[in-house]
């Protein structure tokens, strides 16, 4: 079972989703990528995941180009806002899904508010990807 999680920058939401999905079942091959990969992880996303008991600090922010020649069981986009363009994936894929989330890296306000948005989105990602895992992946394993 191979799952690619796709976003624009591959620094925050796709990385958190990658971490959670891999934590649900280590036998699944999970990768994440961005159409305009930033090349680095959002450190608040890393900290939010660490607080949830998952270390994503070793992940890399990769371009989707790296994965176009591979075959995937699922490609999942995680973009959320109405003004955000979801990337398209033109490689070989059996199932395309969209599970959208707000981008906490664009939130402004106090440090406390920004952190609370990272936690909110992290928890929504965990819930959304656990539902996906339970309903779509687990029955196939």
């Amino acid at each position: 079972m191979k799952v690619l999680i796709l976003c624009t920058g591959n620094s925050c939401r796709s990385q958190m989703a990658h971490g959670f999905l891999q934590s649900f079942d280590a036998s699944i091959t999970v990768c994440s990528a961005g159409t305009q990969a930033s090349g680095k992880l959002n450190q608040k996303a890393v900290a939010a995941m660490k607080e949830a008991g998952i270390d994503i600090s070793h992940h890399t922010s990769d371009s989707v180009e790296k994965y176009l020649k591979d075959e995937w069981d699922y490609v999942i986009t995680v973009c959320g806002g109405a003004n955000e363009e979801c990337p398209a994936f033109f490689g070989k894929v059996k199932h395309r899904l969209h599970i959208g989330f707000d981008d906490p890296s664009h939130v402004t306000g106090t440090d406390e508010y920004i952190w609370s948005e990272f936690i909110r989105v992290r928890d929504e990602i965990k819930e959304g990807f656990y539902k996906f895992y339970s309903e779509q992946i687990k029955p196939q394993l």
Side-chain angles (χ1 to χ4, degrees):
M1 179 68 60
K2 290 178 64 179
V3 180
L4 178 63
I5 302 166
L6 198 55
C7 206
T8 307
N10 190 223
S11 66
C12 187
R13 291 165 294 180
S14 52
Q15 295 288 348
M16 289 193 280
H18 178 167
F20 278 125
L21 187 55
Q22 196 73 76
S23 78
F24 301 150
D25 192 328
S27 72
I28 303 168
T29 299
V30 182
C31 297
S32 59
T35 51
Q36 298 167 14
S38 67
K40 61 187 187 318
L41 301 185
N42 182 300
Q43 291 307 302
K44 283 187 175 66
V46 173
M49 291 299 287
K50 184 175 184 179
E51 185 183 277
I54 297 171
D55 180 11
I56 63 167
S57 64
H58 61 282
H59 286 196
T60 57
S61 175
D62 299 318
S63 170
V64 69
E65 302 289 324
K66 178 177 178 179
Y67 299 108
L68 287 176
K69 291 187 173 114
D70 296 335
E71 290 187 33
W72 299 94
D73 293 294
Y74 290 91
V75 171
I76 304 170
T77 52
V78 293
C79 304
N83 60 352
E84 210 177 346
E85 190 176 316
C86 273
F89 182 78
F90 298 106
K92 296 175 187 164
V93 58
K94 292 178 187 168
H95 306 281
R96 297 170 198 273
L97 296 174
H98 176 74
I99 309 173
F101 304 98
D102 294 334
D103 187 350
S105 64
H106 293 301
V107 171
T108 57
T110 65
D111 288 345
E112 292 81 12
Y113 177 70
I114 292 167
W115 180 246
S116 74
E117 285 296 286
F118 271 87
I119 299 307
R120 176 184 67 81
V121 172
R122 177 202 67 197
D123 293 347
E124 288 175 4
I125 289 170
K126 180 179 183 180
E127 183 180 321
F129 272 80
Y130 190 76
K131 183 175 192 283
F132 161 72
Y133 170 73
S134 299
E135 294 176 1
Q136 300 203 35
I137 300 236
K138 203 170 180 185
Q140 297 180 54
L141 299 177

